[in-house]
Amino acid sequence: MHPIFRNNRDIDVALRQTLFKAAATGVDVVQIIPGKGTGRLRQRVLAVLSQKHIKKLYARVETDPSNPGRILVHLR
């Protein structure tokens, strides 16, 4: 995520493409690593994941308790 972190549109497109591709190929879990940092990138990722059309793709989103810079998306 870090090479595109300054452009919200690039973040949205990258997340959507990754999730749609993972859902189409039958992947169970997608790991997103926004990093620890200030938390802004993490907030942006969680905001994209909370959109209605994206929520349909996954069963739950989990933040790793041992590593707050890692988000796990469990697909349906």
Side-chain angles (χ1 to χ4, degrees), residues 26-46:
V27 174
D28 294 331
V29 179
V30 174
Q31 177 178 281
I32 302 170
I33 303 175
K36 294 178 185 178
T38 62
R40 283 190 172 163
L41 184 54
R42 180 174 181 245
Q43 289 173 348
R44 182 66 191 154
V45 168
L46 293 174

Side-chain angles (χ1 to χ4, degrees), residues 10-24 54 57:
D10 288 347
I11 293 168
D12 293 352
V13 169
L15 286 172
R16 285 187 186 133
Q17 286 177 344
T18 301
L19 291 172
F20 285 126
K21 187 175 185 178
I54 300 293
L57 297 173

Side-chain angles (χ1 to χ4, degrees), residues 24-71:
T25 57
V27 174
D28 294 331
V29 179
V30 174
Q31 177 178 281
I32 302 170
I33 303 175
K36 294 178 185 178
T38 62
R40 283 190 172 163
L41 184 54
R42 180 174 181 245
Q43 289 173 348
R44 182 66 191 154
V45 168
L46 293 174
V48 170
L49 292 173
S50 68
Q51 295 174 358
K52 280 185 181 181
H53 65 285
I54 300 293
K55 277 187 173 183
K56 293 177 184 178
L57 297 173
Y58 64 85
R60 74 178 197 270
V61 172
E62 170 183 3
T63 54
D64 188 348
S66 64
N67 183 357
R70 181 175 158 201
I71 299 170

